[in-house]
Amino acid sequence: MFAYLANPARFMRVSGRAWRFVAASGIAALAIGLYLALAVAPPDYQQGESVRIMFVHVPSAILAEGVYYLIALASFVALVWRHPLADVAAQAAAPIGAAFTLVCLATGSLWGKPMWGAWWVWDARLTSVLVLFFLYLGYIALVNAFEDPARGARAGAVLALVGVIDLPIIKFSVNWWNTLHQPASILRMGGPTIDRSMLVPLLVMTLAFVLLFAALLLLRMRATLNERKARALRLAAPPRRADPVSTGAAPVLR
Amino acid sequence: MRAYAGLFRRELLLAVRQGGEIGLVLGFFVLAVVLFPLGVGPEAEVLRRIGAGIVWVAALLAAVLSLDRLFAADYADGTLDLLALSAMPLEGVAAAKCAAHWATTGLPLTLISPCLAALVDLEAQATVLLALGLLIGTPALSLLGAIVAALTLGARRPGILSSLLVLPLYLPVLIFGAGAVEAGIAGTGARPHLLLLGAVTVAALPLAPVAAAAALRQALD
């Protein structure tokens, strides 16, 4: 399938039909999931109503990390096989992953204030998600730091691979650091098992988040490819008389 | 091997003869540590408690600040292209440059760290652990830094970009390095921290030059 989609024109054709379907099913799953999470699922006996934050927090945490691994995988494919769409996918996924990480941090903070009495605690998991957010920011900054977009894509690919090797080491070190400083007070959510009345909404929400991520990813990839096509057409067009007044700004050549 | 030694020697000579770059890094390192007592107050209790962390954070920042010395000048004047054309593999070039970078930043930082430990009132045992940790950990700073320095060649605002990229990668070194001193003070045994710190360096030793060479290749394309 990957070889089949290696042709950007073919990808545009297939994704043009696919993304609507994925987005529609994602929105449907989100609607069902939100209904289950907000109306059907019972309040927790300890956490009360604020347990409902978890239905957004956990899926975004799963995607925050999953998207980074996806970026690393796409970067590997881009570096090894020079698949023309792998770079596009990695770059398109990065801001979405960063947004999920931010949602994860924000919802966690909202949940932490009533539960732990603080917006932020230096818990190992919180800290490693924060570091993940900075890894995303670094990746996005590096990709956009070059005049030549191809150069940025390759630099980003190398960085993503370095990051994915380092991520487990960072997580281990943060765990190590945390257990050293506050061994007795590691805060955990709920018990070891989660009741079915909460598990089902959680799974539906996770599915909805994955589908919406896929739809956004396809949409962003399509936008990138269209942008490239537009730029190529602009550069190939015969030079026009410079007319900064009618365009409102000086023409941007990149 | 001779090419490696030659490149190492060239880098050292450049660092020594090119207007006190080592002194600049050391000056920044000392100044950054001096800022903390001015910020948090001069109580010896507080300083002793956070001293090792301060010195380690300052060492990290000093390492970040000196990263542009690794490849930027050679990239700008074309030396890097000649090195890429030479028979020496780029991995070797990266390794030699890392070694020279460590000899001119990590090693001086380690040597001066006992003086800084005195400034923040660390005891003798903690001072030894701090210097030992820096000796073990600073090679990893140079190695990981080389990857990022190579990646940001030719980027807009490489300085601020490379600090954003490299500081998350430095996190394990900081945690194990500062943790070693802390564990030594608390009497829980600094050995596992130092071993883990060594593991980071030993893992970076073969892997980082490969990644840095990959980054250099795409920069020179």
Side-chain angles (χ1 to χ4, degrees):
Chain A
M1 191 183 85
F2 284 111
Y4 176 77
L5 288 177
N7 178 344
R10 200 179 283 153
F11 171 81
M12 287 303 270
R13 244 188 354 263
V14 174
S15 65
R17 278 179 302 231
W19 87 264
R20 279 169 231 275
F21 175 72
V22 178
S25 41
I27 291 169
L30 188 69
I32 299 169
L34 279 177
Y35 172 72
L36 288 176
L38 296 180
V40 178
D44 188 73
Y45 80 105
Q46 263 185 329
Q47 303 173 17
E49 296 290 347
S50 46
V51 73
R52 301 189 196 283
I53 296 175
M54 182 194 75
F55 296 118
V56 175
H57 178 73
V58 174
S60 48
I62 291 171
L63 274 162
E65 199 163 329
V67 171
Y68 196 84
Y69 288 119
L70 185 78
I71 291 173
L73 185 69
S75 300
F76 184 75
V77 171
L79 282 178
V80 175
W81 290 290
R82 305 268 161 158
H83 191 290
L85 288 173
D87 276 337
V88 178
Q91 285 167 44
I96 314 175
F100 279 127
T101 316
L102 200 59
V103 168
C104 174
L105 286 170
T107 51
S109 182
L110 287 173
W111 181 87
K113 185 62 183 167
M115 287 304 121
W116 297 340
W119 294 112
W120 183 263
V121 291
W122 287 99
D123 171 69
R125 248 194 265 183
L126 273 72
T127 312
S128 48
V129 172
L130 188 64
V131 174
L132 182 66
F133 184 60
F134 283 114
L135 287 178
Y136 272 118
L137 286 191
Y139 175 83
I140 296 169
L142 182 67
V143 166
N144 294 314
F146 296 95
E147 299 291 335
D148 175 16
R151 170 76 213 284
R154 285 195 306 268
V158 173
L159 180 71
L161 288 181
V162 172
V164 88
I165 293 172
D166 216 38
L167 195 57
I169 303 174
I170 293 174
K171 287 184 107 173
F172 171 77
S173 69
V174 169
N175 267 322
W176 175 269
W177 162 77
N178 173 265
T179 45
L180 186 77
H181 279 249
Q182 31 165 234
S185 66
I186 292 178
L187 301 150
R188 285 169 188 279
M189 286 175 58
T193 54
I194 175 167
D195 190 77
R196 182 173 290 184
S197 62
M198 289 181 182
L199 186 62
V200 171
L202 189 61
L203 289 178
V204 175
M205 285 297 278
T206 308
L207 179 70
F209 270 52
V210 170
L211 285 171
L212 287 176
F213 164 72
L216 282 173
L217 179 65
L218 286 176
L219 206 56
R220 283 184 56 85
M221 286 175 72
R222 288 173 57 78
T224 311
L225 291 174
N226 277 332
E227 214 172 19
R228 279 190 190 171
K229 208 194 286 177
R231 190 186 304 134
L233 286 175
R234 204 164 52 228
L235 290 177
R240 279 181 307 176
R241 196 159 47 86
D243 191 6
V245 181
S246 69
T247 52
V252 181
L253 285 180
R254 280 213 277 177
Chain B
M1 202 61 218
R2 263 185 61 202
Y4 178 89
L7 185 57
F8 179 74
R9 200 166 149 264
R10 167 183 178 270
E11 297 292 321
L12 278 191
L13 283 177
L14 278 176
V16 172
R17 290 186 185 162
Q18 238 169 16
E21 280 183 26
I22 302 174
L24 278 179
V25 173
L26 276 181
F28 172 82
F29 182 51
V30 175
L31 195 60
V33 172
V34 167
L35 284 180
F36 277 89
L38 299 175
V40 300
E43 293 87 8
E45 297 285 301
V46 180
L47 290 179
R48 208 174 300 142
R49 169 75 190 74
I50 60 174
I54 292 172
V55 175
W56 263 102
V57 170
L60 252 59
L61 294 178
V64 170
L65 218 66
S66 63
L67 283 185
D68 63 335
R69 215 177 59 210
L70 264 164
F71 300 114
D74 284 352
Y75 178 71
D77 68 7
T79 313
L80 209 54
D81 291 288
L82 290 179
L83 286 172
L85 288 175
S86 70
M88 194 176 177
L90 266 178
E91 283 80 2
V93 172
K97 278 178 163 287
C98 286
H101 181 262
W102 178 75
T104 54
T105 55
L107 192 59
L109 295 188
T110 307
L111 293 178
I112 206 174
S113 66
C115 304
L116 297 176
L119 280 182
V120 292
D121 202 31
L122 288 183
E123 291 159 13
Q125 186 219 5
T127 305
V128 170
L129 284 174
L130 179 69
L132 200 58
L134 282 168
L135 188 68
I136 299 171
T138 43
L141 300 185
S142 293
L143 287 161
L144 293 171
I147 305 174
V148 169
L151 280 174
T152 52
L153 283 179
R156 287 186 286 262
R157 282 183 225 91
I160 188 84
L161 181 64
S162 54
S163 53
L164 177 67
L165 296 183
V166 85
L167 284 175
L169 303 182
Y170 280 176
L171 218 78
V173 177
L174 172 67
I175 289 173
F176 298 137
V181 183
E182 196 126 313
I185 293 173
T188 51
R191 202 177 129 83
H193 294 82
L194 291 176
L195 287 177
L196 284 166
L197 193 59
V200 173
T201 300
V202 168
L205 205 56
L207 292 178
V210 175
L216 284 177
R217 252 176 226 118
Q218 52 92 22
L220 295 173
D221 256 5

